[in-house]
Amino acid sequence: VLLSKKILQLPRGCQYGMKLLACIGSKCDESTVKFIMAKGKDLEGDADGNMLDFAVDEGLLKKEGSNYVVAHDQIHQAAYSLIPENERCCLHRQIGLLILKSLPEKQVDDLFFTAVSQLNLGIKHLEKEDEKLDLQKLNLRAGEKAMSLAAFSIAASYLKAGIDMFLDTHWE
């Protein structure tokens, strides 16, 4: 509760950045966070990527090279708890779509994995059958790439996520 209150004392744009970072994980490249904040500013008013410097000054985030890193797991949890539960899936989906749209068509790297993971967390907001099919294909691509990198448990999680999206009627 104390950490949540400390975050809420930050400028609104910084709070938004902290929430985005909490959705993505405990570490994210500065350019990615700033890109999402800039593209998603219609979601949260006047959010500037430099706003996260306030959180760095307050000791909530650390700057390690080109990455913003949440200083402690408790801070990460506090920032995530500030997102209403009914909005979390939608925010994950929006983050995933923003990242995915910014990537070249065949690029498969850490950012691609982040995008697919975010879309998987936002699956409740996929309403159309073709959106689910697209996400299944993305999970297959992510799973295949992870297998080629010998990251078998990660590959299995992407492949399972894709399989889990099939409806019972798909197997007939």
Side-chain angles (χ1 to χ4, degrees):
V1 176
L2 292 174
L3 288 172
S4 296
K5 287 181 180 179
K6 186 170 184 173
I7 294 169
L8 289 172
Q9 292 173 350
L10 296 169
R12 188 175 168 100
C14 185
Q15 291 175 38
Y16 176 61
M18 292 281 298
K19 291 175 190 177
L20 288 176
L21 188 56
C23 281
I24 295 169
S26 59
K27 177 180 179 180
C28 189
D29 183 77
E30 176 182 17
S31 62
T32 302
V33 175
K34 287 184 175 185
F35 169 78
I36 294 169
M37 287 180 76
K39 293 292 183 183
K41 75 166 117 181
D42 58 317
L43 306 174
E44 191 72 29
D46 189 24
D48 176 353
N50 295 322
M51 283 287 190
L52 288 176
D53 293 339
F54 287 105
V56 172
D57 294 343
E58 290 294 320
L60 297 170
L61 296 179
K62 296 179 197 170
K63 195 79 186 325
E64 294 179 357
S66 67
N67 292 318
Y68 281 110
V69 181
V70 180
H72 194 278
D73 287 346
Q74 299 274 331
I75 296 168
H76 180 260
Q77 291 171 351
Y80 195 70
S81 73
L82 293 174
I83 306 166
E85 281 189 47
N86 62 337
E87 294 175 17
R88 290 178 185 169
C89 285
C90 185
L91 188 56
H92 283 295
R93 181 173 180 268
Q94 290 168 331
I95 291 169
L97 289 173
L98 284 171
I99 293 172
L100 199 60
K101 287 178 183 174
S102 73
L103 294 175
E105 180 75 26
K106 296 294 179 189
Q107 181 176 337
V108 179
D109 60 6
D110 288 345
L111 212 47
F112 174 76
F113 291 120
T114 299
V116 175
S117 295
Q118 290 297 307
L119 290 170
N120 285 340
L121 290 168
I123 194 165
K124 289 181 185 174
H125 285 273
L126 293 180
E127 296 153 11
K128 298 177 184 168
E129 204 56 36
D130 59 330
E131 289 177 329
K132 289 182 182 178
L133 182 61
D134 289 343
L135 184 53
Q136 287 172 313
K137 290 176 184 176
L138 289 170
N139 274 290
L140 176 61
R141 216 165 105 201
E144 289 172 339
K145 180 61 178 181
M147 283 182 17
S148 75
L149 298 171
F152 299 114
S153 62
I154 294 170
S157 68
Y158 285 115
L159 296 172
K160 182 178 180 332
I163 291 168
D164 288 347
M165 283 183 246
F166 282 109
L167 300 173
D168 291 335
T169 56
H170 287 140
W171 298 105
E172 295 174 358

